[in-house]
Amino acid sequence: MTLHDRIDRSNHLTLVRLVLALLVIFSHTFALGGFGDEFVLGGNDKYGNLAVNGFFVVSGMLISVSFVRTKSILHFIRNRGLRLLPAYWLSLLLSALVLCPLAYWLGGGNAAEYWTPATDSPFTYVAKNIALRVYQTGIADVFRDNPYPRMVNGVLWTLIYEVTCYGFVVVVGVLGLLKRHWGWLVALLALMASNTLVYAGAADYFPTAASSLLALLHFLAYFVAGIVAHLYADKIRIGADATLLSAAGLCFLLLVPIPVVFYAYHLLAPPVLVVFIFGIAFSTSSFAGEQGMPDLSYGLYIYGWVVQQILASIGVAEKGFAAFLGSSLILSSVLAAISYYGIERRALSWKRATRSH
């Protein structure tokens, strides 16, 4: 059975994205709660990094499929904007105008000092970050005494790279290059090699200003792996055997703490994640409980960090790792549900309405 045979049938992608979002929150629990360095997977990567890379793999396939099936470029851009921006804007407003002032007040801060600081006001936080590029990371002195101080939401920086990847799809699509061609395999191999060289120390030879480009190339390797999965879906085997084999390979690459495996992991992770993630997502049909399941992954991703900062500021982390993580997941899920039912689901209905015209 190939990915092509299953790509248009019911799947477990919503559940997969949920697990990836939960892994990001779990990963951040260490630094934000002051629990020391995250124990890493054999020293080769962290849970949060692995999850974010997985998100880019999934996006690469879904976005390329969406571009091919959307009737116009304007509709594609509109749909991508509806998926990301309304919920993102809500998170900025809630963080700056509700969550952070509440945390500041609970921590004994003076309200006037929050709303009228000398620098980094809540209003400039919203205004400067409104276009997905994060220019202001803190608000007043909120979270000043946290284990990870002042950073209101340390995950938002990845969203600009997600949007840049969308722009990449538009460009190659307009040029007629979003078709199956050996050039995509060459591009993927080049990006995989680039990642490996960066982790081998090549980044030290680049100026600091190039850090954004190197980050883009990193994410693009996983995104392009997802595009290749779409283009070569009839060649990618899925099923129990392929999924178990990719899982075993991924575990080996992650858990064996020797240099050659470390470099092999950063070279091979994009295609291995393709087989592993899409094997899990598409090998079987969705369960009854999954049908109609709300996709809370985006909300969990954009609220998890700020929730953990708030909980750390009021002393919840002092109750221990389990209490901090558990309360973080509960409160993040509440905000994710508000985001989904209040904004994201409405945006999805607007997208469907667009397709009907």
Side-chain angles (χ1 to χ4, degrees):
M1 179 171 59
T2 67
L3 179 59
H4 179 268
D5 298 327
R6 296 285 314 175
I7 201 167
D8 286 321
R9 301 186 183 183
S10 64
N11 56 67
H12 309 291
L13 272 179
T14 298
L15 187 59
V16 167
R17 286 194 294 250
L18 177 64
V19 171
L20 293 177
L22 293 175
L23 272 179
V24 171
I25 294 176
F26 172 78
S27 179
H28 292 156
T29 301
F30 293 88
L32 298 182
F35 297 106
D37 291 335
E38 175 185 353
F39 59 89
V40 294
L41 296 167
N44 295 340
D45 209 352
K46 296 184 177 183
Y47 295 97
N49 295 341
L50 182 66
V52 173
N53 294 337
F55 273 126
F56 275 86
V57 166
V58 173
S59 287
M61 188 191 74
L62 294 182
I63 297 306
S64 58
V65 169
S66 174
F67 184 87
V68 170
R69 296 180 178 179
T70 303
K71 60 184 180 181
S72 74
I73 295 171
L74 289 178
H75 279 88
F76 174 82
I77 294 173
R78 180 178 184 269
N79 289 348
R80 292 306 96 217
L82 286 172
R83 182 67 188 97
L84 283 183
L85 290 173
Y88 172 76
W89 289 333
L90 177 65
S91 76
L92 291 181
L93 291 169
L94 278 180
S95 295
L97 306 182
V98 179
L99 300 176
C100 287
L102 178 62
Y104 198 71
W105 174 71
L106 290 173
N110 184 298
E113 293 174 356
Y114 178 84
W115 295 109
T116 57
T119 59
D120 293 340
S121 81
F123 307 107
T124 57
Y125 177 81
V126 174
K128 288 183 178 180
N129 300 334
I130 199 166
L132 288 173
R133 180 81 178 187
V134 178
Y135 290 101
Q136 181 179 324
T137 59
I139 300 175
D141 282 332
V142 71
F143 309 138
R144 177 185 58 191
D145 299 320
N146 279 19
Y148 202 107
R150 300 182 186 279
M151 179 77 72
V152 170
N153 200 332
V155 303
L156 299 184
W157 69 275
T158 63
L159 297 181
I160 191 63
Y161 294 102
E162 177 88 0
V163 171
T164 303
C165 288
Y166 295 172
F168 171 74
V169 169
V170 170
V171 171
V172 298
V174 168
L175 294 175
L177 301 177
L178 199 58
K179 301 175 182 178
R180 190 160 78 172
H181 190 274
W182 60 266
W184 280 103
L185 298 176
V186 173
L188 177 58
L189 289 172
L191 288 165
M192 290 160 57
S194 171
N195 268 356
T196 309
L197 290 173
V198 168
Y199 280 97
D204 296 338
Y205 298 96
F206 287 86
T208 304
S211 60
S212 294
L213 174 61
L214 295 178
L216 175 60
L217 292 176
H218 170 89
F219 291 129
L220 201 56
Y222 293 91
F223 191 83
V224 169
I227 293 177
V228 169
H230 163 221
L231 298 179
Y232 288 86
D234 60 335
K235 304 295 184 183
I236 298 175
R237 304 295 301 180
I238 60 173
D241 292 343
T243 303
L244 288 173
L245 183 61
S246 64
L250 187 61
C251 288
F252 175 80
L253 293 171
L254 285 168
L255 299 176
V256 178
I258 59 176
V260 66
V261 177
F262 172 82
Y263 298 128
Y265 165 71
H266 288 289
L267 175 67
L268 300 174
V272 174
L273 279 176
V274 162
V275 179
F276 177 64
I277 289 176
F278 294 143
I280 291 175
F282 291 102
S283 290
T284 59
S285 299
S286 60
F287 308 121
E290 287 182 86
Q291 297 175 8
M293 176 181 175
D295 186 359
L296 302 184
S297 59
Y298 186 41
L300 285 167
Y301 187 75
I302 60 178
Y303 285 107
W305 182 292
V306 67
V307 164
Q308 291 192 307
Q309 286 286 59
I310 293 170
L311 293 175
S313 72
I314 61 176
V316 175
E318 298 171 8
K319 305 298 182 182
F321 186 93
F324 184 62
L325 175 60
S327 56
S328 299
L329 293 176
I330 292 170
L331 290 178
S332 298
S333 297
V334 170
L335 289 171
I338 291 172
S339 176
Y340 178 79
Y341 288 106
I343 294 291
E344 295 173 56
R345 190 168 66 167
R346 295 173 186 271
L348 289 172
S349 68
W350 296 335
K351 287 168 59 178
R352 286 191 289 269
T354 299
R355 283 198 289 267
S356 67
H357 285 83

